[in-house]
Amino acid sequence: MPTTTSVDVDLLSDTLTKPTQEMRAAMAAAPVGDDVFGEDPTVRELEARVAALLGHEAALFTPTGSMANQLGLRLHVKPGEELIADSLAHVLRAELGAAAVLSGISSRSWVAHRGLLDASQPLGLMTPSGGAYQVNTRLVVVENTHNFGGGTVQPLEEMRALWEGTRGRGVSLHLDGARLWNAHVATGIALSEYGRLFDTVSVCLSKGLGAPIGSVLAGSADHMAEARVWRKRFGGGMRQVGILAAAGLHALDHHVERLAEDHARAHRFAAAAAQAAPGSVDPETVQTNIVILHVAVAGWTADAFVAAAADHGIRLYPVSGTAVRLVWHLDVDDTATDRAIAALAPLLESGPPST
Ligand SMILES: Cc1ncc(COP(=O)(O)O)c(C=O)c1O
């Protein structure tokens, strides 16, 4: 979303973070090898560490979250079979049809307010034994936290119910945990408690954790061996990428607990926005680093609000015709948050200029 005005406060996405000097130093010092041959010691260290954190046997480093997700989907669903996910899920909305294009996977969805999981919805929707007439459901995908839902943290008990309801029925579970770190920091629930309720889990190092690139898929050793073959087939076999894995290891050491600061800032912004335009956001629902602001409540279209914010040097993302998304991250501090409040609260209060 290029703008012509200079950007002072960039709330477009937590993918914008730039590697810190310390992270760059860790990258420069990393021992490396050829990872296609499984010989990069830093990649191996990262994979082992993430697998253990998520309570799984093995893991695989990938360039992107989309590739980690697509490998996960591929493992569980054959061409002509289906996955189901909520209608706002990243795998359905923002991976450009990759499941269909790369793996011949059919998809269906259920509608979930704020992306919040209610296990009875996928359990009611799935058709594990479709026979020769209905498409067989082979996978349910859950996103935690939920990006387009507004950083929603999924309830552990709903994920448990989904686990119990799918076992022994030929339906696997994949967790799109691009921001699972945020859920862990917001709730204090161990990453492995979440991870163990899924057959495969993807996590991203390149979002709030601040690495320039990198995601990890975790699962059983057999699944990861198969995913390694498909990663190469998809063109994602990488060579001396310990320099990138080192950024991820550094992020795990230094950038996880600090996500609480992003959450506090997002919440502070949401409280100010709710005061300026009641109903535009419920601060109680802002659990992590993402705020979905329903600007139509204040008479704005999303595009007009994004343009007005840009005039104040603030960059946002329109998630629909009526709502915008603001994302807090490593490079947005308290002062920047104050600036965002000072610029955007009056816009919400006044509504758009009359024409
Ligand atoms: C929930 C979720 N899953 C997956 C991805 C894909 O990550 P990448 O952009 O690295 O492909 C994103 C990206 O923003 C995301 O928000």
Side-chain angles (χ1 to χ4, degrees):
M1 189 144 333
T3 61
T4 45
T5 334
S6 73
V7 179
D8 300 323
V9 182
D10 211 332
L11 298 166
L12 187 73
S13 172
D14 50 7
T15 57
L16 299 171
T17 53
K18 304 214 171 63
T20 60
Q21 284 311 320
E22 294 78 14
M23 184 179 275
R24 287 168 191 259
M27 294 170 77
V32 296
D34 190 326
D35 182 49
V36 169
F37 293 107
E39 289 175 0
D40 189 303
T42 312
V43 172
R44 291 172 84 130
E45 185 186 339
L46 176 70
E47 289 174 343
R49 186 155 163 200
V50 174
L53 281 173
L54 295 172
H56 278 277
E57 247 176 3
L60 184 73
F61 188 47
T62 63
T64 64
S66 299
M67 185 180 279
N69 277 341
Q70 292 306 321
L71 290 172
L73 310 188
R74 172 100 222 172
L75 293 174
H76 304 297
V77 193
K78 290 202 197 76
E81 297 178 332
E82 78 176 0
L83 70 82
I84 59 173
D86 80 272
S87 65
L88 295 175
H90 195 277
V91 291
L92 295 188
R93 272 197 87 188
E95 295 182 16
L96 306 180
V101 174
L102 302 177
S103 302
I105 295 174
S106 181
S107 305
R108 277 189 304 147
S109 60
W110 69 92
V111 174
H113 179 56
R114 296 195 299 110
L116 191 65
L117 177 67
D118 167 351
S120 69
Q121 290 188 288
L123 291 174
L125 185 65
M126 67 190 201
T127 47
S129 311
Y133 177 59
Q134 286 187 322
V135 179
N136 285 302
T137 310
R138 289 289 167 247
L139 183 69
V140 181
V141 180
V142 174
E143 191 172 312
N144 191 18
T145 66
H146 200 295
N147 178 351
F148 296 120
T152 307
V153 176
Q154 304 296 3
L156 195 63
E157 61 277 14
E158 294 300 322
M159 292 187 271
R160 270 205 199 105
L162 193 54
W163 175 259
E164 281 156 19
T166 50
R167 292 310 92 176
R169 301 189 64 193
V171 177
S172 299
L173 293 177
H174 174 75
L175 176 62
D176 178 352
R179 295 181 183 80
L180 191 63
W181 321 103
N182 297 79
H184 158 65
V185 167
T187 61
I189 293 171
L191 291 159
S192 59
E193 261 205 79
Y194 286 124
R196 283 197 190 102
L197 295 174
F198 293 86
D199 298 287
T200 47
V201 183
S202 65
V203 288
C204 288
L205 304 161
S206 59
K207 313 263 168 349
L209 293 201
I213 182 172
S215 295
V216 181
L217 178 71
S220 69
D222 284 351
H223 270 149
M224 290 308 102
E226 196 183 339
R228 192 172 288 276
V229 172
W230 276 101
R231 182 186 65 174
K232 183 76 167 63
R233 202 168 271 141
F234 283 165
M238 302 177 287
R239 303 296 178 176
Q240 288 73 25
V241 281
I243 52 171
L244 303 181
L249 285 165
H250 180 87
L252 291 179
D253 286 334
H254 301 285
H255 295 171
V256 176
E257 297 310 324
R258 67 147 304 284
L259 292 172
E261 296 171 26
D262 299 340
H263 300 177
R265 289 176 184 131
H267 192 271
R268 186 156 69 81
F269 175 87
Q275 208 173 8
S280 58
V281 58
D282 175 359
E284 290 311 305
T285 63
V286 178
Q287 301 164 287
T288 60
N289 65 325
I290 301 179
V291 176
I292 302 286
L293 200 56
H294 296 274
V295 291
V297 165
W300 292 90
T301 64
D303 286 344
F305 193 81
V306 167
D311 288 341
H312 290 272
I314 297 171
R315 193 157 67 141
L316 319 172
Y317 179 72
V319 277
S320 69
T322 57
V324 300
R325 187 189 68 180
L326 302 84
V327 189
W328 270 260
H329 53 79
L330 197 54
D331 298 336
V332 181
D333 60 11
D334 278 329
T335 311
T337 304
D338 290 339
R339 287 202 52 188
I341 292 172
L344 302 185
L347 293 179
L348 288 169
E349 229 158 34
S350 67
S354 46
T355 45

